[in-house]
């Protein structure tokens, strides 16, 4: 059995920037153990699996399935466009664990229509978690939760960019992901973030679309605006443009570039 596999750099227009995602498109759905094995083989933060016969989209890290993945969805839509399966200005709907997700290809970008995250703020801080992240409680301006993940605002970008978490120690705690953010000093973008998820095999995710569903709410409320530009300050880095919509939805806007494609040979 042969499968066509793509790797796409998402939330960037430059090769080797943004967040690399695997993409696998098949006529029929693949089995879950096979998808997990393929994701582990590709060893990027997420691989998107899309079956044409039921429009079902699933995402896997090298260790686990996730409910929502922005850069994987962006990467898949980019490949569909390249293959002639998505037309300009056409809206496509995917069936996912997070419900129906709509995407649109425009002349310059790809637009993802995602659900806003529900935030719980002003929660008690977990001192051990902060210590393993390299933070002190005095540096924290806000501490909350979304989708079983932690959201932390720190005092400034210098603190955020200087973090060197203890990933081995973090894996000893219960967790799913930690999103840390700070208000931008640049006039180019509104806020900066980093995202750590060693519990699912991704120490630091380069550019996390799903995290921006929470950041759109957090910074939209704090800055009282509905259109935002976020920068994720990983080693690769990438920008996500956001628009808050009605009915608790958010539009994530970005670009993508294909890094390579190939054939995966599976035993018959």
């Amino acid at each position: 059995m042969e499968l066509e596999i793509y790797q796409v750099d998402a939330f960037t227009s430059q090769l080797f920037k943004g967040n690399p995602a695997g993409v696998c498109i098949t006529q029929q759905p693949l089995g879950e153990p096979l998808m997990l094995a393929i994701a582990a083989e590709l060893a990027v933060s997420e691989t998107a699996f899309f079956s044409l016969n039921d429009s079902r989209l699933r995402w896997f890290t090298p260790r686990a399935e996730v409910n929502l993945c922005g850069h994987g969805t962006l990467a898949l839509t980019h490949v569909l466009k390249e293959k002639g399966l998505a037309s300009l200005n056409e809206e496509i709907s995917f069936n996912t664990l997070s419900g129906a997700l709509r995407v649109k290809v425009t002349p310059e970008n790809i637009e993802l229509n995602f659900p806003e995250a529900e935030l719980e703020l002003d929660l008690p801080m977990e001192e051990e978690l902060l210590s393993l992240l390299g933070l002190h409680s005095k540096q924290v301006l806000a501490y909350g939760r979304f989708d079983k993940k932690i959201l932390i605002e720190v005092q400034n970008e210098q603190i955020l960019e200087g973090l060197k978490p203890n990933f081995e120690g973090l894996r000893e705690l219960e967790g799913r992901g930690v999103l840390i953010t700070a208000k931008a000093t640049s006039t180019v973008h509104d806020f900066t973030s980093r995202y750590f998820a060693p519990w699912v095999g991704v120490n630091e995710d380069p550019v996390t679309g799903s995290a921006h569903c929470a950041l759109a709410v957090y910074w939209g409320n704090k800055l009282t605006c509905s259109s935002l530009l976020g920068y994720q300050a990983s080693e690769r880095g990438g920008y996500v443009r956001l628009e808050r919509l009605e009915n608790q939805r958010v539009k994530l806007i970005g670009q993508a570039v294909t890094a390579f494609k190939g054939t995966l040979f599976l035993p018959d």
Side-chain angles (χ1 to χ4, degrees):
M1 182 180 176
E2 298 182 4
L3 291 179
E4 194 172 61
I5 297 289
Y6 292 78
Q7 186 161 308
V8 175
D9 293 338
F11 290 115
T12 182
S13 59
Q14 301 177 42
L15 195 63
F16 311 130
K17 296 291 185 180
N19 200 350
V23 174
C24 180
I25 301 171
T26 56
Q27 192 64 43
Q28 305 292 333
L30 300 178
E32 189 169 312
L34 177 56
M35 288 189 283
L36 189 55
I38 292 171
E41 183 72 13
L42 293 180
V44 290
S45 58
E46 270 96 6
T47 297
F49 295 90
F50 181 60
S51 51
L52 293 167
N53 74 331
D54 58 4
S55 296
R56 189 177 184 192
L57 171 58
R58 299 175 72 177
W59 310 276
F60 286 81
T61 77
R63 292 187 182 178
E65 184 173 13
V66 297
N67 291 336
L68 187 65
C69 177
H71 84 281
T73 307
L74 179 58
L76 167 64
T77 307
H78 173 77
V79 172
L80 291 173
K81 181 185 72 171
E82 285 195 334
K83 291 173 66 69
L85 298 173
S87 302
L88 193 64
N89 295 320
E90 176 188 5
E91 190 170 79
I92 309 168
S93 182
F94 300 131
N95 299 319
T96 79
L97 290 177
S98 294
L101 299 181
R102 300 189 303 277
V103 303
K104 184 178 181 180
V105 179
T106 71
E108 293 83 20
N109 300 297
I110 293 172
E111 301 177 352
L112 314 178
N113 188 314
F114 274 24
E116 284 188 348
E118 294 184 13
L119 303 185
E120 297 178 73
L121 297 175
D122 302 321
L123 298 180
M125 287 184 273
E126 301 175 46
E127 296 291 344
E128 186 176 6
L129 175 67
L130 292 180
S131 176
L132 291 168
L133 289 168
L135 287 171
H136 190 280
S137 59
K138 293 180 180 179
Q139 298 171 309
V140 175
L141 299 180
Y143 190 97
R145 185 184 302 274
F146 71 101
D147 299 334
K148 300 180 181 179
K149 303 162 190 173
I150 299 297
L151 185 151
I152 300 169
E153 183 192 354
V154 295
Q155 290 175 328
N156 56 59
E157 289 176 308
Q158 290 71 32
I159 294 170
L160 173 66
E161 293 168 0
L163 292 176
K164 296 180 180 178
N166 179 342
F167 294 114
E168 289 187 9
L170 287 170
R171 279 191 287 268
E172 296 298 316
L173 304 180
E174 289 188 9
R176 181 75 179 187
V178 179
L179 172 61
I180 306 179
T181 187
K183 189 177 186 300
T185 55
S186 164
T187 57
V188 175
H189 56 282
D190 300 294
F191 62 86
T192 305
S193 66
R194 294 176 71 184
Y195 183 76
F196 307 111
W199 301 275
V200 294
V202 184
N203 282 349
E204 180 166 8
D205 197 33
V207 189
T208 315
S210 59
H212 282 77
C213 295
L215 292 167
V217 178
Y218 183 79
W219 287 110
N221 291 340
K222 189 158 187 173
L223 301 177
T224 61
C225 59
S226 59
S227 295
L228 298 155
L229 180 63
Y231 176 69
Q232 194 154 331
S234 64
E235 185 176 344
R236 294 172 65 99
Y239 290 92
V240 183
R241 187 167 296 280
L242 303 167
E243 292 181 16
R244 294 187 73 183
L245 308 173
E246 296 178 352
N247 301 320
Q248 290 75 55
R249 307 288 294 185
V250 59
K251 185 186 293 184
L252 283 66
I253 304 169
Q255 299 175 318
V257 58
T258 300
F260 63 81
K261 64 178 179 179
T263 303
L264 180 65
F265 299 96
L266 299 174
D268 292 327

